[in-house]
Amino acid sequence: MLVTVRGRIDYEERKTLNAIYGPNGAVVAWLETDSIRSPRGAVIGRLSDDAVYNLRGGHVGYFNNRMFRDNSGHIVAFMEGATGGPVKPVRQVRPVQPV
């Protein structure tokens, strides 16, 4: 069974993916615990505390207040409930969650 709750998808197996929105408000990735997944579901990065790493272990940015920033401090993505920073764009309709 699939239950959808504004920006979040819960699976019966207790797998929860939260939408990550890009600058135009479209879903660009999903966050599952500490794994960042592509729109198709492949793991593309990891969170460790407030640091964001690619799969090779390279530091690519920060995650604070539900916003993703690159190493220069620019906001590159956000999640529902993000606080601070510039006004967030209107979120577009989410695509179907990867299986």
Side-chain angles (χ1 to χ4, degrees):
M1 185 171 136
L2 175 68
V3 180
T4 304
V5 181
R6 294 186 62 213
R8 195 177 92 197
I9 296 182
D10 294 332
Y11 284 95
E12 214 170 19
E13 304 89 33
R14 307 243 184 251
K15 178 179 179 182
T16 300
L17 298 178
N18 293 290
I20 300 172
Y21 299 93
N24 66 355
V27 172
V28 295
W30 299 92
L31 180 63
E32 175 189 13
T33 313
D34 63 348
S35 295
I36 300 169
R37 295 183 172 272
S38 73
R40 301 188 92 185
V43 175
I44 57 174
R46 301 255 184 232
L47 288 182
S48 179
D49 296 318
D50 67 345
V52 181
Y53 296 93
N54 62 25
L55 290 183
R56 294 176 159 219
H59 185 268
V60 295
Y62 299 92
F63 179 65
N64 297 86
N65 300 321
R66 300 186 65 79
M67 290 184 288
F68 290 85
R69 295 180 182 266
D70 63 17
N71 282 324
S72 298
H74 300 108
I75 297 170
V76 295
F78 67 97
M79 296 178 67
E80 183 176 340
T83 59
V87 174
K88 311 317 174 271
V90 174
R91 293 185 312 267
Q92 296 180 14
V93 175
R94 282 192 336 249
V96 174
Q97 162 74 43
V99 180

Coordinates of all heavy atoms in Angstrom, one line a residue:
M1 N 0.8 -1.2 0.0 CA 0.0 0.0 0.0 C 0.9 1.2 0.0 O 1.9 1.3 0.6 CB -0.9 0.0 1.2 CG -1.9 1.1 1.3 SD -3.0 0.9 2.6 CE -3.0 2.5 3.3
L2 N 0.5 2.3 -0.7 CA 1.2 3.5 -0.9 C 0.4 4.6 -0.3 O -0.8 4.8 -0.6 CB 1.5 3.7 -2.3 CG 2.1 5.0 -2.7 CD1 3.6 5.0 -2.2 CD2 2.1 5.1 -4.3
V3 N 1.0 5.4 0.6 CA 0.3 6.6 1.2 C 1.1 7.8 0.8 O 2.3 7.9 1.1 CB 0.2 6.4 2.7 CG1 -0.5 7.6 3.3 CG2 -0.5 5.1 3.1
T4 N 0.4 8.8 0.2 CA 1.1 10.0 -0.1 C 0.7 11.2 0.8 O -0.5 11.4 1.0 CB 0.8 10.4 -1.6 OG1 1.1 9.4 -2.4 CG2 1.6 11.7 -2.0
V5 N 1.7 11.9 1.4 CA 1.4 13.0 2.3 C 2.3 14.1 1.8 O 3.5 14.0 2.0 CB 1.7 12.6 3.7 CG1 1.4 13.8 4.7 CG2 1.0 11.4 4.2
R6 N 1.7 15.2 1.3 CA 2.4 16.4 0.8 C 4.0 16.3 0.8 O 4.6 16.5 1.9 CB 2.0 17.6 1.7 CG 0.6 17.9 1.5 CD 0.2 19.2 2.2 NE 1.0 20.3 1.7 CZ 1.4 21.3 2.5 NH1 1.2 21.3 3.7 NH2 2.1 22.2 1.9
G7 N 4.6 16.0 -0.3 CA 6.0 15.9 -0.4 C 6.7 14.7 0.2 O 7.9 14.7 0.3
R8 N 5.9 13.7 0.6 CA 6.5 12.6 1.2 C 5.7 11.3 0.8 O 4.5 11.4 0.7 CB 6.4 12.7 2.7 CG 7.3 11.8 3.5 CD 7.2 12.0 4.9 NE 6.2 11.2 5.5 CZ 5.6 11.3 6.6 NH1 5.9 12.3 7.4 NH2 4.7 10.5 7.0
I9 N 6.4 10.2 0.6 CA 5.8 9.0 0.2 C 6.2 7.9 1.2 O 7.4 7.7 1.4 CB 6.1 8.6 -1.2 CG1 5.6 9.7 -2.2 CG2 5.6 7.2 -1.6 CD1 5.8 9.4 -3.6
D10 N 5.2 7.2 1.7 CA 5.5 6.1 2.7 C 5.1 4.8 2.1 O 4.0 4.7 1.5 CB 4.7 6.3 4.0 CG 5.1 7.6 4.8 OD1 6.3 7.9 4.6 OD2 4.3 8.1 5.5
Y11 N 5.9 3.9 2.1 CA 5.6 2.5 1.7 C 5.3 1.6 2.9 O 5.7 1.9 4.0 CB 6.8 1.9 0.9 CG 7.0 2.5 -0.4 CD1 7.9 3.5 -0.7 CD2 6.3 1.9 -1.5 CE1 8.0 4.0 -1.9 CE2 6.5 2.4 -2.8 CZ 7.3 3.5 -3.0 OH 7.5 4.0 -4.2
E12 N 4.6 0.6 2.6 CA 4.2 -0.4 3.6 C 5.4 -0.9 4.3 O 5.4 -1.1 5.5 CB 3.4 -1.5 3.0 CG 2.4 -2.1 3.9 CD 1.5 -3.1 3.1 OE1 1.9 -3.5 2.0 OE2 0.4 -3.3 3.6
E13 N 6.6 -1.1 3.6 CA 7.8 -1.6 4.2 C 8.5 -0.5 5.1 O 9.6 -0.7 5.5 CB 8.8 -2.0 3.1 CG 8.2 -3.0 2.1 CD 7.6 -2.3 0.9 OE1 8.0 -1.2 0.5 OE2 6.6 -2.9 0.4
R14 N 7.8 0.6 5.3 CA 8.3 1.7 6.1 C 9.4 2.5 5.4 O 10.2 3.2 6.1 CB 8.8 1.2 7.5 CG 7.8 0.4 8.2 CD 7.3 1.0 9.5 NE 6.4 0.2 10.2 CZ 5.2 0.4 10.3 NH1 4.7 1.5 9.8 NH2 4.4 -0.4 11.0
K15 N 9.5 2.3 4.1 CA 10.5 3.1 3.4 C 9.8 4.5 3.1 O 8.8 4.6 2.5 CB 10.7 2.4 2.0 CG 11.7 3.1 1.1 CD 11.9 2.3 -0.1 CE 12.8 3.0 -1.1 NZ 13.0 2.2 -2.3
T16 N 10.5 5.5 3.5 CA 10.0 6.9 3.3 C 11.0 7.7 2.5 O 12.2 7.8 2.8 CB 9.9 7.6 4.7 OG1 8.9 6.9 5.5 CG2 9.3 9.0 4.5
L17 N 10.4 8.2 1.4 CA 11.2 9.1 0.5 C 10.6 10.5 0.6 O 9.4 10.6 0.4 CB 11.2 8.6 -0.9 CG 11.8 7.2 -1.1 CD1 11.7 6.8 -2.6 CD2 13.3 7.2 -0.7
N18 N 11.4 11.5 0.8 CA 11.0 12.9 0.9 C 11.5 13.6 -0.4 O 12.6 13.5 -0.7 CB 11.5 13.6 2.1 CG 10.8 13.0 3.4 OD1 9.7 13.1 3.6 ND2 11.6 12.2 4.1
A19 N 10.6 14.4 -1.0 CA 10.9 15.1 -2.2 C 11.9 16.2 -2.0 O 11.9 16.9 -1.0 CB 9.7 15.7 -2.8
I20 N 12.9 16.3 -2.9 CA 13.9 17.4 -2.9 C 13.6 18.2 -4.2 O 13.5 17.6 -5.3 CB 15.3 16.9 -3.0 CG1 15.6 16.0 -1.8 CG2 16.3 18.0 -3.1 CD1 17.0 15.3 -1.8
Y21 N 13.3 19.5 -4.0 CA 12.9 20.3 -5.1 C 14.1 21.2 -5.6 O 14.8 21.7 -4.8 CB 11.7 21.2 -4.7 CG 10.5 20.5 -4.3 CD1 10.3 20.1 -2.9 CD2 9.6 20.1 -5.2 CE1 9.2 19.4 -2.5 CE2 8.4 19.4 -4.8 CZ 8.3 19.1 -3.5 OH 7.2 18.3 -3.1
G22 N 14.1 21.4 -6.9 CA 15.2 22.2 -7.5 C 14.7 23.7 -7.6 O 13.6 24.0 -7.1
P23 N 15.5 24.6 -8.1 CA 15.2 26.0 -8.2 C 13.9 26.4 -8.9 O 13.3 27.4 -8.5 CB 16.4 26.6 -8.9 CG 17.5 25.6 -8.8 CD 16.8 24.3 -8.7
N24 N 13.4 25.5 -9.8 CA 12.2 25.8 -10.5 C 11.0 25.2 -9.8 O 9.9 25.3 -10.3 CB 12.3 25.4 -11.9 CG 12.4 23.9 -12.1 OD1 12.5 23.2 -11.2 ND2 12.4 23.5 -13.4
G25 N 11.2 24.5 -8.7 CA 10.1 23.9 -7.9 C 9.8 22.4 -8.3 O 8.9 21.8 -7.8
A26 N 10.5 21.9 -9.3 CA 10.3 20.5 -9.7 C 11.1 19.6 -8.9 O 12.2 19.9 -8.4 CB 10.7 20.3 -11.2
V27 N 10.6 18.3 -8.7 CA 11.4 17.3 -7.9 C 12.6 17.0 -8.7 O 12.5 16.6 -9.9 CB 10.5 16.1 -7.6 CG1 11.3 15.0 -7.0 CG2 9.3 16.4 -6.7
V28 N 13.8 17.1 -8.1 CA 15.0 16.7 -8.7 C 15.7 15.5 -8.1 O 16.6 14.9 -8.6 CB 16.0 17.9 -8.7 CG1 15.5 19.1 -9.5 CG2 16.3 18.4 -7.2
A29 N 15.2 15.1 -6.9 CA 15.7 13.9 -6.2 C 14.8 13.6 -5.0 O 13.9 14.3 -4.7 CB 17.2 14.2 -5.7
W30 N 15.2 12.5 -4.4 CA 14.4 12.1 -3.2 C 15.4 11.8 -2.1 O 16.5 11.3 -2.3 CB 13.7 10.8 -3.5 CG 12.7 10.9 -4.6 CD1 12.9 10.7 -5.9 CD2 11.3 11.3 -4.5 NE1 11.7 10.9 -6.6 CE2 10.8 11.3 -5.8 CE3 10.5 11.6 -3.4 CZ2 9.4 11.6 -6.0 CZ3 9.2 12.0 -3.6 CH2 8.7 11.9 -4.9
L31 N 15.0 12.0 -0.8 CA 15.8 11.8 0.3 C 15.2 10.6 1.1 O 14.1 10.7 1.5 CB 16.0 13.0 1.2 CG 16.8 12.8 2.5 CD1 18.3 12.5 2.1 CD2 16.7 14.1 3.3
E32 N 16.0 9.6 1.3 CA 15.6 8.4 2.1 C 16.6 8.3 3.3 O 17.8 7.8 3.0 CB 15.6 7.1 1.3 CG 15.3 5.9 2.1 CD 15.5 4.6 1.3 OE1 16.1 4.7 0.2 OE2 15.0 3.6 1.8
T33 N 16.3 8.7 4.5 CA 17.1 8.7 5.6 C 18.4 9.5 5.3 O 18.3 10.7 5.3 CB 17.5 7.2 6.1 OG1 16.3 6.5 6.1 CG2 18.1 7.2 7.5
D34 N 19.5 8.8 5.0 CA 20.7 9.6 4.6 C 21.2 9.4 3.2 O 22.2 9.8 2.8 CB 21.9 9.2 5.6 CG 22.3 7.7 5.5 OD1 21.5 7.0 4.8 OD2 23.3 7.4 6.0
S35 N 20.3 8.7 2.4 CA 20.6 8.5 1.0 C 19.8 9.5 0.1 O 18.6 9.7 0.3 CB 20.2 7.1 0.6 OG 21.0 6.1 1.3
I36 N 20.5 10.1 -0.9 CA 19.9 10.9 -1.8 C 19.7 10.1 -3.1 O 20.7 9.5 -3.6 CB 20.8 12.2 -2.1 CG1 21.0 13.0 -0.8 CG2 20.1 13.0 -3.2 CD1 22.0 14.0 -0.9
R37 N 18.5 10.0 -3.6 CA 18.2 9.2 -4.8 C 17.8 10.0 -5.9 O 17.1 11.1 -5.8 CB 17.1 8.2 -4.4 CG 17.5 7.2 -3.3 CD 16.4 6.2 -3.0 NE 16.9 5.1 -2.2 CZ 17.5 4.0 -2.6 NH1 17.7 3.8 -3.9 NH2 18.0 3.2 -1.7
S38 N 18.1 9.6 -7.1 CA 17.7 10.2 -8.4 C 16.2 10.1 -8.5 O 15.5 9.3 -7.8 CB 18.4 9.6 -9.6 OG 17.8 8.3 -9.8
P39 N 15.6 10.9 -9.4 CA 14.1 10.7 -9.6 C 13.7 9.3 -10.0 O 12.6 8.9 -9.8 CB 13.8 11.7 -10.8 CG 14.9 12.7 -10.6 CD 16.1 12.0 -10.2
R40 N 14.6 8.5 -10.5 CA 14.4 7.1 -10.9 C 14.7 6.1 -9.8 O 14.4 4.9 -9.9 CB 15.1 6.7 -12.1 CG 14.8 7.6 -13.3 CD 15.4 7.2 -14.5 NE 14.4 6.3 -15.2 CZ 14.6 5.6 -16.2 NH1 15.7 5.7 -16.9 NH2 13.6 4.9 -16.8
G41 N 15.3 6.6 -8.7 CA 15.5 5.8 -7.5 C 16.9 5.4 -7.2 O 17.2 4.7 -6.2
A42 N 17.8 5.6 -8.1 CA 19.2 5.2 -7.9 C 19.9 6.1 -6.8 O 19.6 7.3 -6.8 CB 20.0 5.3 -9.2
V43 N 20.7 5.6 -6.0 CA 21.4 6.4 -5.0 C 22.5 7.2 -5.7 O 23.3 6.7 -6.5 CB 22.1 5.5 -3.9 CG1 22.9 6.3 -2.9 CG2 21.0 4.7 -3.1
I44 N 22.4 8.5 -5.5 CA 23.4 9.4 -6.1 C 24.2 10.2 -5.1 O 25.2 10.9 -5.5 CB 22.7 10.4 -7.1 CG1 21.6 11.2 -6.3 CG2 22.1 9.6 -8.2 CD1 20.9 12.3 -7.1
G45 N 23.9 10.1 -3.8 CA 24.7 10.8 -2.8 C 24.3 10.4 -1.4 O 23.3 9.6 -1.2
R46 N 25.0 11.0 -0.5 CA 24.7 10.7 1.0 C 24.8 11.9 1.8 O 25.5 12.9 1.5 CB 25.8 9.7 1.5 CG 25.9 8.4 0.7 CD 25.2 7.3 1.5 NE 25.4 6.1 0.8 CZ 24.4 5.2 0.6 NH1 23.2 5.5 0.9 NH2 24.6 4.1 -0.1
L47 N 24.0 11.9 2.9 CA 24.1 12.9 3.9 C 24.9 12.4 5.1 O 24.7 11.2 5.5 CB 22.7 13.4 4.4 CG 21.9 14.2 3.5 CD1 20.6 14.5 4.2 CD2 22.6 15.4 3.0
S48 N 25.7 13.2 5.7 CA 26.4 12.8 7.0 C 26.4 14.1 7.8 O 27.1 15.1 7.5 CB 27.8 12.4 6.7 OG 28.5 12.0 7.9
D49 N 25.6 14.1 8.9 CA 25.3 15.3 9.6 C 24.8 16.4 8.7 O 23.8 16.1 8.0 CB 26.6 15.7 10.4 CG 27.0 14.7 11.4 OD1 26.1 14.1 12.1 OD2 28.2 14.4 11.6
D50 N 25.5 17.5 8.5 CA 25.0 18.5 7.6 C 25.8 18.6 6.3 O 25.6 19.4 5.5 CB 25.0 19.9 8.3 CG 26.5 20.4 8.6 OD1 27.4 19.6 8.5 OD2 26.6 21.6 8.8
A51 N 26.6 17.6 6.1 CA 27.4 17.5 4.9 C 26.8 16.6 3.8 O 26.2 15.6 4.1 CB 28.8 17.0 5.2
V52 N 26.9 17.0 2.5 CA 26.4 16.2 1.4 C 27.6 15.7 0.6 O 28.6 16.5 0.3 CB 25.5 17.1 0.5 CG1 25.0 16.3 -0.7 CG2 24.4 17.7 1.3
Y53 N 27.6 14.4 0.3 CA 28.7 13.8 -0.4 C 28.2 13.0 -1.6 O 27.1 12.5 -1.6 CB 29.4 12.7 0.5 CG 30.1 13.3 1.7 CD1 29.4 13.4 2.9 CD2 31.4 13.8 1.6 CE1 30.0 14.0 4.0 CE2 32.0 14.4 2.8 CZ 31.3 14.5 3.9 OH 31.8 15.0 5.0
N54 N 29.0 13.0 -2.7 CA 28.6 12.2 -3.8 C 29.1 10.8 -3.6 O 29.6 10.5 -2.5 CB 29.3 12.8 -5.1 CG 30.8 12.8 -5.1 OD1 31.4 12.0 -4.4 ND2 31.4 13.7 -5.9
L55 N 28.8 9.9 -4.5 CA 29.1 8.4 -4.3 C 30.6 8.1 -4.2 O 31.0 7.1 -3.7 CB 28.4 7.6 -5.3 CG 26.9 7.5 -5.2 CD1 26.3 6.6 -6.2 CD2 26.5 7.1 -3.8
R56 N 31.4 9.0 -4.7 CA 32.9 8.8 -4.6 C 33.4 9.3 -3.3 O 34.6 9.3 -3.1 CB 33.6 9.5 -5.8 CG 33.2 8.9 -7.1 CD 33.9 9.7 -8.2 NE 33.9 8.9 -9.4 CZ 35.0 8.8 -10.2 NH1 36.0 9.6 -10.0 NH2 34.9 8.1 -11.3
G57 N 32.6 9.9 -2.5 CA 33.0 10.4 -1.2 C 33.4 11.9 -1.2 O 33.9 12.4 -0.2
G58 N 33.2 12.5 -2.4 CA 33.6 13.9 -2.5 C 32.5 14.8 -1.8 O 31.3 14.6 -2.0
H59 N 33.0 15.8 -1.0 CA 32.1 16.8 -0.4 C 31.6 17.7 -1.5 O 32.3 18.4 -2.1 CB 32.8 17.5 0.7 CG 32.0 18.4 1.5 ND1 31.8 19.7 1.1 CD2 31.2 18.2 2.6 CE1 31.0 20.3 2.0 NE2 30.6 19.4 2.9
V60 N 30.2 17.8 -1.6 CA 29.6 18.6 -2.6 C 28.8 19.7 -2.1 O 28.3 20.6 -2.8 CB 28.8 17.8 -3.7 CG1 29.8 16.8 -4.4 CG2 27.7 17.0 -3.0
G61 N 28.5 19.8 -0.8 CA 27.7 20.8 -0.2 C 27.2 20.5 1.2 O 27.8 19.7 1.9
Y62 N 26.2 21.3 1.6 CA 25.7 21.3 2.9 C 24.2 21.2 2.9 O 23.5 21.6 2.0 CB 26.1 22.5 3.7 CG 27.6 22.7 3.8 CD1 28.3 23.4 2.9 CD2 28.3 22.1 4.8 CE1 29.7 23.5 2.9 CE2 29.7 22.2 4.9 CZ 30.3 22.9 4.0 OH 31.7 23.0 4.1
F63 N 23.6 20.6 4.0 CA 22.2 20.5 4.2 C 21.8 21.1 5.5 O 22.2 20.5 6.6 CB 21.7 19.0 4.1 CG 20.3 18.8 4.3 CD1 19.4 19.3 3.3 CD2 19.8 18.1 5.4 CE1 18.0 19.0 3.5 CE2 18.4 17.9 5.5 CZ 17.5 18.4 4.6
N64 N 21.2 22.3 5.5 CA 20.8 22.9 6.7 C 19.4 23.5 6.5 O 19.1 24.1 5.4 CB 21.7 24.1 7.1 CG 23.1 23.6 7.4 OD1 23.9 23.5 6.5 ND2 23.4 23.4 8.6
N65 N 18.5 23.5 7.5 CA 17.2 24.1 7.5 C 16.4 23.6 6.3 O 15.7 24.4 5.7 CB 17.3 25.6 7.5 CG 18.0 26.1 8.7 OD1 17.8 25.6 9.8 ND2 18.8 27.1 8.6
R66 N 16.6 22.3 5.9 CA 15.9 21.7 4.8 C 16.3 22.3 3.4 O 15.5 22.2 2.5 CB 14.4 21.6 5.1 CG 14.2 20.8 6.4 CD 12.7 20.6 6.6 NE 12.0 19.7 5.7 CZ 12.1 18.4 5.7 NH1 12.8 17.7 6.5 NH2 11.4 17.7 4.8
M67 N 17.5 22.9 3.4 CA 18.0 23.5 2.1 C 19.3 22.9 1.8 O 20.1 22.6 2.7 CB 18.1 25.0 2.2 CG 16.8 25.8 2.3 SD 17.1 27.5 2.3 CE 17.7 27.8 3.9
F68 N 19.6 22.6 0.5 CA 20.8 22.1 0.1 C 21.6 23.2 -0.5 O 21.1 24.0 -1.4 CB 20.6 21.0 -1.0 CG 20.0 19.7 -0.5 CD1 18.7 19.6 -0.4 CD2 20.9 18.7 -0.2 CE1 18.1 18.4 0.1 CE2 20.3 17.5 0.3 CZ 19.0 17.4 0.5
R69 N 22.9 23.4 -0.1 CA 23.7 24.5 -0.6 C 25.0 23.8 -1.2 O 25.5 22.8 -0.7 CB 24.2 25.4 0.6 CG 23.0 26.2 1.2 CD 23.5 27.1 2.3 NE 22.4 27.8 2.9 CZ 22.0 29.0 2.5 NH1 22.6 29.7 1.6 NH2 20.9 29.6 3.1
D70 N 25.5 24.4 -2.2 CA 26.7 24.0 -2.8 C 27.9 24.4 -2.0 O 27.7 25.1 -0.9 CB 26.9 24.4 -4.3 CG 26.9 25.9 -4.5 OD1 27.2 26.6 -3.6 OD2 26.7 26.3 -5.7
N71 N 29.1 24.1 -2.3 CA 30.3 24.5 -1.5 C 30.5 26.0 -1.5 O 31.3 26.5 -0.7 CB 31.5 23.7 -2.0 CG 31.5 22.3 -1.5 OD1 31.1 22.0 -0.4 ND2 32.0 21.4 -2.3
S72 N 29.9 26.7 -2.4 CA 30.0 28.2 -2.4 C 28.9 28.8 -1.5 O 28.9 30.1 -1.4 CB 29.9 28.7 -3.8 OG 31.0 28.2 -4.6
G73 N 28.0 28.0 -1.0 CA 26.9 28.5 -0.2 C 25.6 28.9 -0.9 O 24.7 29.3 -0.3
H74 N 25.6 28.7 -2.2 CA 24.4 28.9 -3.0 C 23.4 27.8 -2.8 O 23.7 26.7 -2.8 CB 24.7 29.1 -4.5 CG 25.7 30.1 -4.8 ND1 27.0 29.9 -5.1 CD2 25.6 31.5 -4.7 CE1 27.6 31.0 -5.3 NE2 26.8 32.0 -5.1
I75 N 22.1 28.2 -2.6 CA 21.0 27.3 -2.5 C 20.8 26.6 -3.8 O 20.5 27.3 -4.8 CB 19.8 27.9 -1.9 CG1 20.0 28.5 -0.5 CG2 18.6 26.9 -1.9 CD1 18.9 29.4 0.0
V76 N 20.9 25.3 -3.9 CA 20.7 24.6 -5.1 C 19.4 23.7 -5.1 O 18.9 23.2 -6.2 CB 21.9 23.7 -5.5 CG1 23.1 24.6 -5.8 CG2 22.2 22.7 -4.4
A77 N 18.9 23.4 -3.9 CA 17.7 22.6 -3.8 C 17.1 22.8 -2.4 O 17.8 23.3 -1.5 CB 18.0 21.1 -4.0
F78 N 15.8 22.4 -2.2 CA 15.2 22.6 -0.9 C 14.1 21.5 -0.7 O 13.8 20.8 -1.7 CB 14.6 24.0 -0.8 CG 13.4 24.2 -1.7 CD1 12.1 24.0 -1.3 CD2 13.6 24.5 -3.0 CE1 11.0 24.2 -2.1 CE2 12.5 24.7 -3.9 CZ 11.2 24.6 -3.4
M79 N 13.7 21.3 0.5 CA 12.6 20.4 0.8 C 11.5 21.1 1.5 O 11.6 22.3 1.9 CB 13.2 19.3 1.8 CG 14.3 18.5 1.2 SD 14.9 17.3 2.3 CE 13.5 16.2 2.5
E80 N 10.3 20.5 1.5 CA 9.2 21.1 2.1 C 9.5 21.5 3.5 O 10.2 20.7 4.2 CB 8.0 20.2 2.1 CG 6.7 20.8 2.7 CD 5.5 19.8 2.6 OE1 5.6 18.9 1.8 OE2 4.6 20.1 3.4
G81 N 9.2 22.7 4.0 CA 9.5 23.1 5.3 C 10.8 23.9 5.4 O 11.2 24.2 6.6
A82 N 11.5 24.1 4.3 CA 12.7 24.9 4.4 C 12.5 26.2 5.0 O 11.5 26.9 4.7 CB 13.3 25.0 3.0
T83 N 13.5 26.7 5.8 CA 13.4 28.0 6.4 C 14.6 28.8 6.1 O 15.7 28.3 5.9 CB 13.3 27.8 7.9 OG1 14.4 27.1 8.5 CG2 12.0 27.1 8.3
G84 N 14.5 30.1 6.1 CA 15.6 31.0 5.8 C 15.8 31.1 4.3 O 15.1 30.4 3.5
G85 N 16.8 31.9 3.9 CA 17.1 32.0 2.5 C 16.1 32.7 1.7 O 15.2 33.3 2.3
P86 N 16.2 32.7 0.4 CA 15.3 33.5 -0.4 C 13.9 32.8 -0.5 O 13.7 31.6 0.0 CB 15.9 33.4 -1.8 CG 16.7 32.2 -1.8 CD 17.2 32.0 -0.4
V87 N 12.9 33.5 -1.0 CA 11.6 32.9 -1.2 C 11.7 31.7 -2.1 O 12.4 31.7 -3.1 CB 10.6 33.9 -1.8 CG1 9.3 33.3 -2.1 CG2 10.5 35.1 -0.9
K88 N 11.1 30.6 -1.7 CA 11.1 29.3 -2.5 C 10.1 29.4 -3.6 O 9.0 30.0 -3.4 CB 10.8 28.1 -1.6 CG 11.5 28.0 -0.3 CD 13.0 28.3 -0.3 CE 13.6 28.2 1.1 NZ 13.6 29.5 1.8
P89 N 10.4 28.8 -4.7 CA 9.4 28.8 -5.8 C 8.3 27.9 -5.5 O 8.3 27.0 -4.6 CB 10.2 28.2 -7.0 CG 11.3 27.4 -6.4 CD 11.6 28.1 -5.1
V90 N 7.2 28.0 -6.2 CA 6.0 27.2 -6.0 C 6.4 25.8 -6.4 O 7.0 25.6 -7.5 CB 4.8 27.7 -6.8 CG1 3.7 26.7 -6.8 CG2 4.4 29.0 -6.4
R91 N 6.1 24.8 -5.6 CA 6.5 23.4 -5.9 C 5.6 22.9 -7.0 O 4.4 23.1 -7.0 CB 6.4 22.5 -4.7 CG 7.4 22.8 -3.7 CD 7.4 21.8 -2.5 NE 6.1 21.6 -2.0 CZ 5.5 22.2 -1.0 NH1 6.2 23.2 -0.3 NH2 4.3 21.9 -0.5
Q92 N 6.2 22.2 -8.0 CA 5.4 21.6 -9.1 C 4.9 20.3 -8.7 O 5.2 19.8 -7.6 CB 6.3 21.4 -10.3 CG 6.8 22.8 -10.9 CD 7.7 22.5 -12.1 OE1 7.7 21.4 -12.7 NE2 8.4 23.6 -12.5
V93 N 4.0 19.7 -9.4 CA 3.4 18.4 -9.1 C 4.5 17.4 -9.1 O 5.3 17.4 -10.0 CB 2.3 18.1 -10.2 CG1 1.8 16.7 -9.9 CG2 1.2 19.1 -10.2
R94 N 4.5 16.6 -8.1 CA 5.5 15.5 -8.0 C 5.3 14.4 -9.0 O 4.2 14.0 -9.2 CB 5.5 14.9 -6.6 CG 6.1 15.8 -5.5 CD 6.3 15.0 -4.2 NE 5.4 13.9 -4.2 CZ 4.4 13.8 -3.3 NH1 4.1 14.7 -2.5 NH2 3.6 12.7 -3.3
P95 N 6.4 13.9 -9.5 CA 6.3 12.7 -10.4 C 6.0 11.5 -9.5 O 6.1 11.5 -8.3 CB 7.7 12.7 -11.1 CG 8.6 13.3 -10.1 CD 7.8 14.4 -9.4
V96 N 5.8 10.4 -10.2 CA 5.5 9.1 -9.5 C 6.8 8.7 -8.8 O 7.9 8.9 -9.4 CB 5.1 8.1 -10.5 CG1 5.0 6.7 -9.8 CG2 3.7 8.5 -11.1
Q97 N 6.7 8.3 -7.6 CA 7.9 7.8 -6.8 C 8.5 6.6 -7.5 O 7.9 5.8 -8.0 CB 7.3 7.4 -5.5 CG 8.2 6.5 -4.6 CD 9.3 7.3 -4.1 OE1 9.1 8.4 -3.6 NE2 10.5 6.8 -4.1
P98 N 9.9 6.6 -7.5 CA 10.6 5.4 -8.0 C 10.2 4.1 -7.2 O 10.0 4.2 -6.0 CB 12.0 5.7 -7.9 CG 12.1 6.8 -6.9 CD 10.8 7.5 -6.9
V99 N 10.3 3.0 -7.9 CA 9.9 1.7 -7.2 C 11.2 1.1 -6.6 O 12.2 1.2 -7.1 CB 9.3 0.8 -8.3 CG1 9.0 -0.5 -7.6 CG2 8.1 1.4 -8.9

